[in-house]
Amino acid sequence: MESLVTLLVFAPFIASLVAGLFGRRIGNVASQSVTTGALFLSCALAWYVFSKWTWGGLEPFTVTVAPFIHVGQFISNWSIRIDALSAVMLIVVTTVSALVHLYSWGYMAEDDSKPRFFAYLSFFTFAMLALVTSADFMQLFFGWEGVGVASYLLIGFWFKKPTANAAAIKAFVVNRVGDFGFALGIMTIFWAFGSIQFAEIFPQVAHLAGKAWWFAGHNWRLMDLACVLLFIGAMGKSAQFFLHTWLPDAMEGPTPVSALIHAATMVTAGVYMVCLLSPMFEYAPDAKNVVAVIGAVTALFAATVGLTQNDIKRVIAYSTCSQLGYMFFAAGVGAYQAAMFHLFTHAFFKALLFLGAGSVIHGMHHEQDMRKYGAIAKFMPITYAVMTIGTIAITGLGIPGLDLGFAGFYSKDTIIEAAFAAGGNNPVGLFASIVGVVVAGLTAFYSWRVAFFTFNGHARWGAASHGDDHASHAQIETHTEPTGHDDHAHVHDDHGHDHKPHESPLVMLIPLIVLAVGAIASGFVFFEHFVGEGQAEFWRGAIFTAPTNHVLHEAHQTPLWLKTVPLVVSVLGLLVAAYMYLLKEGLGARLAAQKGMLYLFSYNKWYFDELYEATFLRAARWLGDLFWKVGDKKIIDGLGPDGVAATSAAVGKFAGRLQTGFVYHYAFVMLLGVLGLLSFAFWAWGS
């Protein structure tokens, strides 16, 4: 088993080196084959490990691969930790990554940099696998930064686009803000425990839980301080409120990147980290409240913004941000198992939605604006079917009494019920449960808006190709001529050629079908293992809950009316979306054209970009100009090298004037010298 898990982790890295270093020599097909084959090998091994854990009685173990950093008491080894948490993450990461590799054969077929793209994908997967199998904070940090580097490279993959470069830099900088807090948290842990090994830290937590530092007139509890600092890192990586602004812009990368990194894997690293550190968070009540509040606010914020966005990928990106909020407030109220369950199911239906959106974009000749879609269901029937499945899954439709529904029904409803159960002792839990219900309705509305706006109604692509580029968004959206109701309708590319919308190739559809199966079945198949009666046997200590934490048990005892409320609001969101985008097509555009205050607030993403531009960015530019123009140029250079050079030049220029070339000038100077010398001699002798 040890050799298998080692191969599982390092196979993508080896494939990445082969494609990255030798891709031009071995060619596109060989590069794609090596990386895709390595990922399917890792995926098969991951499912084998998961099955042995779930049904074969496999016990936790750690493989020490090699020494990493040994400096004094700071000991870090490259290790592979296998327990329930890492086993779950292994199948999430490798399954989605393998399917994305396969999907990219079709989506990136026209790109001339396929070896580089597949090398980046495989390197990202290796970094994520290193993260989720880490046995100490140092390897966790290595994987954390590794996926950040891969994210930067993949967001800016099309580096000739200025917007892609700007988005990559934005993601990199915002994540550095979070990682600063993450690094401080690791330092705090090492200072307090003298170790960064999870196996050495967790048994000491209860003993040191009451330890506090006196600083700035306040006692700072060790566990709360360390956990809040570590959570700041999670806020950046998982795009939580305040550090969320990079995620929508990251959609500048190719769509397979969005599905792999920004839906199913990297952005869930923060959730995984909080659940992994449950032995610490259980003794940090204030930090848990921070996690719950930030998660709930993020879920609400992202859902409200998703209501009005028109780029299909950005809507799904804000949906990701909102669903991550669910996971965090679940962990914040102590239902870590429910958070991991939603992480697991979300990976299937969110990857499905992103790759489905990529199929639509591919079929619509790289158009991403939903206002230029419509009536394409009959042209792309398989994509339509699987995206409908993904929409049902994310909205959590199901029958509470019969416990029958798609994946999101089981995991999302469990989170809402857990937050409500926690609300009996903590008002933060009650707040989170109310937000969870509201967001369920908003999620249903914007998710079905995407489905109806894209696949149903009247075709708007004729207007999009022939219309005035200066037409308002509302005018584009309200175009309802029935151009899409005959098979002779076409969409025009940038060169003026006519094309019909078309279904994607089989290599892109197979991953969609596989993910659709996961979006349907992953909830009811694994419910008992993750959050049901058998959850303790499944997790086997990988998630720690304090003796006083009965949230998950109490979640199953909540009244039937609470279990019914999410269904009611989800159906309501569906009906409103159907009314606005099917029965009264164009109503949404007319409301948008009024440019009401709430609409603009949502459309402009709560004005966070403008706020950060007016505060942090301008302040940073002013400070940079101060240090550069005043400190560096005027003071340091002015008094230093520039000042010395200017003085030397002035002295040289003055001395140069004395070199006239006339003998009588030199004789006169010599005479002055002799007179001066004689004068000094007489003065010296006289004294």
Side-chain angles (χ1 to χ4, degrees):
M1 184 62 75
E2 293 183 359
S3 58
L4 289 181
V5 296
T6 304
L7 177 62
L8 189 164
V9 172
F10 285 96
F13 179 63
I14 296 171
S16 173
L17 290 178
V18 171
L21 298 178
F22 307 107
R24 290 185 179 274
R25 183 168 299 178
I26 65 178
N28 292 339
V29 175
S31 298
Q32 294 170 241
S33 300
V34 168
T35 51
T36 306
L39 258 299
F40 273 94
L41 173 63
S42 291
C43 180
L45 293 174
W47 277 100
Y48 174 72
V49 171
F50 181 76
S51 65
K52 294 292 287 184
W53 178 271
T54 307
W55 296 287
L58 182 67
E59 292 299 321
F61 66 92
T62 300
V63 181
T64 301
V65 179
F68 190 20
I69 300 175
H70 290 191
V71 180
Q73 292 183 333
F74 191 92
I75 306 297
S76 176
N77 296 314
W78 191 280
S79 304
I80 300 174
R81 189 194 83 260
I82 299 298
D83 60 10
L85 278 170
S86 60
V88 170
M89 293 303 294
L90 285 176
I91 61 170
V92 168
V93 173
T94 57
T95 300
V96 175
S97 184
L99 294 174
V100 165
H101 274 72
L102 180 61
Y103 178 93
S104 298
W105 280 64
Y107 192 87
M108 302 296 289
E110 299 176 4
D111 198 277
D112 57 359
S113 300
K114 285 187 279 292
R116 179 166 62 92
F117 179 77
F118 280 82
Y120 288 169
L121 283 184
S122 294
F123 172 71
F124 164 81
T125 306
F126 162 70
M128 193 69 195
L129 293 175
L131 188 159
V132 301
T133 58
S134 58
D136 61 41
F137 276 105
M138 194 67 244
Q139 186 178 327
L140 180 69
F141 190 73
F142 171 86
W144 199 268
E145 297 305 309
V147 294
V149 170
S151 175
Y152 170 80
L153 294 172
L154 286 165
I155 294 171
F157 178 77
W158 288 319
F159 55 84
K160 294 181 181 180
K161 291 173 58 181
T163 52
N165 288 326
I169 293 172
K170 186 175 184 179
F172 187 82
V173 171
V174 173
N175 274 275
R176 295 295 70 74
V177 175
D179 291 351
F180 180 68
F182 190 58
L184 289 177
I186 296 175
M187 295 175 195
T188 303
I189 292 296
F190 181 70
W191 183 90
F193 293 92
S195 174
I196 58 169
Q197 306 289 326
F198 300 144
E200 296 178 7
I201 293 170
F202 293 162
Q204 302 181 58
V205 170
H207 175 66
L208 296 177
K211 186 174 182 179
W213 292 325
W214 179 261
F215 179 74
H218 184 74
N219 263 327
W220 303 87
R221 295 183 69 253
L222 167 64
M223 283 299 107
D224 283 311
L225 178 62
C227 289
V228 167
L229 289 172
L230 293 168
F231 176 63
I232 291 173
M235 289 173 62
K237 196 66 68 184
S238 297
Q240 292 300 283
F241 199 63
F242 296 123
L243 296 180
H244 65 276
T245 54
W246 66 271
L247 184 61
D249 290 18
M251 298 303 106
E252 289 290 339
T255 300
V257 173
S258 303
L260 176 62
I261 294 183
H262 307 122
T265 54
M266 187 188 84
V267 291
T268 62
V271 179
Y272 164 78
M273 186 264 290
V274 172
C275 295
L276 173 66
L277 302 182
S278 57
M280 295 170 54
F281 276 90
E282 281 294 89
Y283 289 95
D286 292 339
K288 285 176 64 177
N289 285 338
V290 170
V291 174
V293 170
I294 292 294
V297 172
T298 303
L300 181 62
F301 155 76
T304 58
V305 175
L307 299 174
T308 56
Q309 303 306 303
N310 297 307
D311 184 311
I312 188 171
K313 287 175 63 177
R314 284 180 181 260
V315 177
I316 302 174
Y318 278 109
S319 171
T320 300
C321 194
S322 182
Q323 297 300 310
L324 289 167
Y326 270 109
M327 300 175 207
F328 274 112
F329 79 66
V333 300
Y336 308 100
Q337 300 90 336
M340 287 300 300
F341 188 32
H342 198 52
L343 184 157
F344 177 74
T345 60
H346 175 265
F348 291 102
F349 56 72
K350 186 51 62 67
L352 172 61
L353 288 172
F354 260 120
L355 294 183
S359 180
V360 171
I361 294 168
H362 183 270
M364 293 296 290
H365 308 281
H366 307 291
E367 178 58 66
Q368 295 182 200
D369 193 333
M370 294 188 298
R371 296 166 299 185
K372 300 177 183 179
Y373 290 169
I376 64 174
K378 62 182 177 181
F379 296 101
M380 308 180 69
I382 299 177
T383 300
Y384 173 50
V386 296
M387 283 202 72
T388 302
I389 291 172
T391 302
I392 296 173
I394 194 174
T395 57
L397 289 180
I399 305 173
L402 300 177
D403 287 335
L404 182 64
F406 284 14
F409 164 71
Y410 295 92
S411 56
K412 176 178 64 64
D413 283 23
T414 301
I415 289 176
I416 294 174
E417 292 159 15
F420 181 82
N425 300 316
N426 186 353
V428 171
L430 183 60
F431 166 72
S433 65
I434 294 172
V435 169
V437 170
V438 173
V439 171
L442 298 178
T443 301
F445 173 79
Y446 68 68
S447 298
W448 287 110
R449 172 179 179 260
V450 170
F452 296 148
F453 213 13
T454 300
F455 294 102
N456 305 113
H458 294 110
R460 297 175 297 277
W461 9 291
S465 58
H466 293 107
D468 182 1
D469 289 338
H470 301 286
S472 69
H473 293 168
Q475 289 173 325
I476 294 174
E477 187 173 1
T478 53
H479 182 84
T480 56
E481 295 176 9
T483 54
H485 288 282
D486 64 273
D487 290 336
H488 302 288
H490 298 78
V491 63
H492 294 249
D493 63 15
D494 293 337
H495 303 289
H497 301 130
D498 283 350
H499 297 288
K500 283 184 179 181
H502 60 82
E503 186 62 276
S504 298
L506 188 62
V507 74
M508 293 173 63
L509 295 178
I510 290 175
L512 292 176
I513 295 170
V514 174
L515 290 169
V517 173
I520 294 171
S522 60
F524 69 82
V525 170
F526 293 102
F527 176 83
E528 287 298 322
H529 295 292
F530 279 80
V531 295
E533 297 298 328
Q535 60 88 15
E537 181 182 352
F538 175 79
W539 294 110
R540 290 177 225 165
I543 289 177
F544 172 79
T545 52
T548 56
N549 184 346
H550 306 292
V551 168
L552 196 60
H553 173 72
E554 294 171 356
H556 299 309
Q557 310 301 320
T558 51
L560 182 60
W561 67 263
L562 178 67
K563 299 177 184 293
T564 307
V565 167
L567 173 62
V568 172
V569 297
S570 296
V571 171
L572 183 62
L574 163 62
L575 294 177
V576 173
Y579 179 79
M580 293 181 62
Y581 295 96
L582 292 180
L583 298 179
K584 297 290 184 181
E585 191 175 355
L587 176 59
R590 291 191 291 274
L591 292 175
Q594 296 177 8
K595 296 183 178 180
M597 183 176 63
L598 289 178
Y599 170 80
L600 292 176
F601 188 65
S602 169
Y603 184 77
N604 290 290
K605 301 161 286 188
W606 291 26
Y607 295 100
F608 260 97
D609 286 331
E610 291 79 1
L611 177 63
Y612 285 176
E613 172 72 28
T615 53
F616 298 116
L617 294 183
R618 290 183 184 176
R621 290 193 192 102
W622 178 85
L623 190 63
D625 286 344
L626 176 67
F627 284 124
W628 169 41
K629 296 180 179 179
V630 178
D632 190 17
K633 295 183 67 175
K634 292 186 178 180
I635 298 177
I636 297 176
D637 289 346
L639 298 179
D642 290 349
V644 172
T647 302
S648 300
V651 171
K653 185 177 181 180
F654 175 76
R657 293 175 181 173
L658 300 178
Q659 305 298 319
T660 63
F662 296 109
V663 175
Y664 59 85
H665 285 171
Y666 298 149
F668 178 70
V669 172
M670 292 173 65
L671 177 61
L672 291 178
V674 171
L675 290 176
L677 182 61
L678 290 175
S679 298
F680 176 76
F682 285 131
W683 173 80
W685 290 337
S687 59

